[in-house]
């Protein structure tokens, strides 16, 4: 009788041990699947530029993370960056931990209107951004080449911009941070630009609206650039309607394309605001966040 009980206990314990060994792998797989695509909003676009109140608002919207702007530029030597203050940075980090939010990137949106090709203090600006990112454990910074750095309208700027990006690529390498650039070029042009720069720390910060508004095939553009060259994605179109109501973009097909490419990372909501209520932050960004998650984080 005792032998039967011992045998039964052995079988039960063995089964429990097997389950214990299997379950962590299942949980790990589920966690990885969930993490493959994460959704963020931008403090500037939710009207909370460099304000800590952007964090609870991002959480209310339903985002997994936040892209923080470096602050205004104007005629200053560098960005008006409140996060240069250690106390402010720590307050952000503490609040993010409390809300379970991730800072996906730090943005130098001042270069949307300013010339990266011509500003004399560009190295200081980029270094300040890299220093802040490193202090906050942020692995990606965003550099738009903007209106004055439009390489389609001003192809003569390609050479000086390549030279400057080679310089900041070395700066990024030292910091261990990737700089994601946004250009007006098509995918082939941007791929050539990245080859000319020749730094694995300079990649494309892809924007869905670029190919859409220029009548190019979004899926072909993604494939041309390839997963290894895309660091993050602004996953919205131009304003007018929410993503779910936009006939110009099929997000289920986009997900299929990105899945096939083996890409994973942050989908950052920039625009796609309803034209009838463009300043209603919760209304617009909650809807787009919910829709992106329904497509990219489906169970």
């Amino acid at each position: 009788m005792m032998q039967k009980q011992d045998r039964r206990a052995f079988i039960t314990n063995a089964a429990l041990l097997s389950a214990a060994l299997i379950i962590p792998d299942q949980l790990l797989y589920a966690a990885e699947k969930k993490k493959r695509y994460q959704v963020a909003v931008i403090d500037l676009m939710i009207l909370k530029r460099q304000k800590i109140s952007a964090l609870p608002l991002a959480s209310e919207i339903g985002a997994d993370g936040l892209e923080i702007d470096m602050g205004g530029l104007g005629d200053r030597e560098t960005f008006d960056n409140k996060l240069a203050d250690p106390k402010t940075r720590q307050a952000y980090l503490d609040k993010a931990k409390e809300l379970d939010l991730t800072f996906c990137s730090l943005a130098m949106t001042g270069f949307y209107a300013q010339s990266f090709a011509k500003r004399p203090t560009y190295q200081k600006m980029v270094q300040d951004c890299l220093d802040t990112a490193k202090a906050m454990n942020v692995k990606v910074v965003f550099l738009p080449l903007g209106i004055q750095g439009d390489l389609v309208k001003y192809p003569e700027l390609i050479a000086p911009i390549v030279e400057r990006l080679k310089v900041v690529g070395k700066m990024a390498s030292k910091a261990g941070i990737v700089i994601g650039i946004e250009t007006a070029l098509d995918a082939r042009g941007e791929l050539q630009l990245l080859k000319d720069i020749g730094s694995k720390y300079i990649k494309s910060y892809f924007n869905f609206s670029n190919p859409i508004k220029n009548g190019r095939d979004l899926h072909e553009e993604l494939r041309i650039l390839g997963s290894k060259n895309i660091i993050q994605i602004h996953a919205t179109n131009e304003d007018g309607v929410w993503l779910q109501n936009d006939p110009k973009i099929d997000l289920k097909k986009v997900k299929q394309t990105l899945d096939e490419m083996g890409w994973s990372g942050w989908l950052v909501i920039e625009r796609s605001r309803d034209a009838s209520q463009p300043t209603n932050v919760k209304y617009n960004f909650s809807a787009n966040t919910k829709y992106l998650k329904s497509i990219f984080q489906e169970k």
Side-chain angles (χ1 to χ4, degrees), residues 9 29 37 51 58 87 97 111 123 130 147 203 218 257:
Y29 173 75
Y37 300 107
K51 292 180 180 176
K87 288 184 180 178
K97 187 176 181 181
F111 281 116
Q123 288 185 59
L130 292 171
I147 299 165
K203 294 184 184 292
L218 168 60
T257 298

Side-chain angles (χ1 to χ4, degrees), residues 49-67:
R49 187 186 211 178
Q50 287 229 328
K51 292 180 180 176
I52 199 167
S53 54
L55 278 70
L57 180 53
S59 184
E60 286 177 49
I61 285 166
D64 303 311
L66 185 69
E67 179 174 288

Side-chain angles (χ1 to χ4, degrees), residues 275-287:
S276 68
Q277 298 188 54
T279 59
N280 191 333
V281 169
K282 283 188 188 178
Y283 170 75
N284 287 303
F285 288 89
S286 297

Side-chain angles (χ1 to χ4, degrees), residues 2-278:
M2 183 65 74
Q3 285 180 336
K4 285 184 179 178
Q5 286 179 333
D6 287 345
R7 185 169 178 272
R8 191 177 296 124
F10 173 79
I11 291 168
T12 302
N13 289 337
L16 288 170
L17 181 61
S18 296
L21 290 170
I22 292 166
I23 288 169
D25 286 340
Q26 291 173 333
L27 290 174
L28 204 66
Y29 173 75
E32 284 302 312
K33 189 176 180 184
K34 186 181 178 184
K35 286 180 182 177
R36 177 166 188 174
Y37 300 107
Q38 290 185 288
V39 179
V41 291
I42 306 167
D43 69 347
L44 177 68
M45 300 306 292
I46 61 171
L47 310 181
K48 296 281 186 182
R49 187 186 211 178
Q50 287 229 328
K51 292 180 180 176
I52 199 167
S53 54
L55 278 70
L57 180 53
S59 184
E60 286 177 49
I61 285 166
D64 303 311
L66 185 69
E67 179 174 288
I68 312 172
D69 190 63
M70 277 290 289
L73 193 48
D75 294 327
R76 299 177 189 87
E77 195 177 57
T78 189
F79 301 99
D80 182 20
N81 176 27
K82 295 177 177 64
L83 294 167
D85 173 40
K87 288 184 180 178
T88 302
R89 280 202 309 269
Q90 193 57 50
Y92 265 72
L93 292 167
D94 292 344
K95 181 58 74 172
K97 187 176 181 181
E98 176 193 324
L99 296 170
D100 194 25
L101 282 172
T102 301
F103 298 127
C104 65
S105 41
L106 216 57
M108 295 181 275
T109 56
F111 281 116
Y112 268 124
Q114 301 280 337
S115 175
F116 176 74
K118 297 177 181 177
R119 284 294 296 246
T121 58
Y122 79 97
Q123 288 185 59
K124 177 172 176 54
M125 297 170 193
V126 173
Q127 191 62 58
D128 286 350
C129 184
L130 292 171
D131 289 345
T132 302
K134 195 166 185 179
M136 298 181 75
N137 198 31
V138 177
K139 300 300 182 185
V140 176
V141 302
F142 171 47
L143 171 60
L145 295 184
I147 299 165
Q148 294 191 49
D150 186 325
L151 299 180
V152 175
K153 289 183 180 177
Y154 311 111
E156 68 275 10
L157 292 179
I158 291 176
I161 281 178
V162 165
E163 290 310 305
R164 288 193 169 201
L165 287 174
K166 284 180 178 180
V167 172
V168 301
K170 290 175 183 175
M171 293 161 63
S173 173
K174 286 180 184 176
I177 293 166
V178 175
I179 296 176
I181 60 169
E182 181 180 288
T183 79
L185 297 168
D186 63 12
R188 292 189 193 283
E190 193 154 296
L191 187 60
Q192 186 58 55
L193 186 76
L194 294 176
K195 286 178 180 177
D196 291 343
I197 296 160
S199 170
K200 66 179 182 179
Y201 291 92
I202 306 285
K203 294 184 184 292
S204 172
Y205 197 133
F206 193 84
N207 193 325
F208 287 164
S209 71
N210 183 13
I212 294 171
K213 72 183 179 184
N214 289 294
R216 299 193 298 270
D217 187 313
L218 168 60
H219 308 276
E220 186 184 0
E221 296 268 292
L222 285 166
R223 290 192 181 98
I224 288 168
L225 272 169
S227 62
K228 69 176 184 178
N229 293 311
I230 300 171
I231 189 61
Q232 266 175 204
I233 295 175
H234 278 137
T236 44
N237 194 9
E238 294 183 304
D239 288 327
V241 294
W242 292 344
L243 281 168
Q244 67 201 65
N245 300 324
D246 192 339
K248 296 178 181 177
I249 185 166
D250 181 346
L251 279 181
K252 289 182 181 177
K253 191 177 174 185
V254 170
K255 181 182 183 294
Q256 184 181 343
T257 298
L258 291 172
D259 283 350
E260 289 169 0
M261 289 168 56
W263 189 85
S264 64
W266 284 93
L267 303 168
V268 184
I269 298 170
E270 186 180 36
R271 297 189 183 275
S272 291
R273 294 172 291 197
D274 186 335
S276 68
Q277 298 188 54

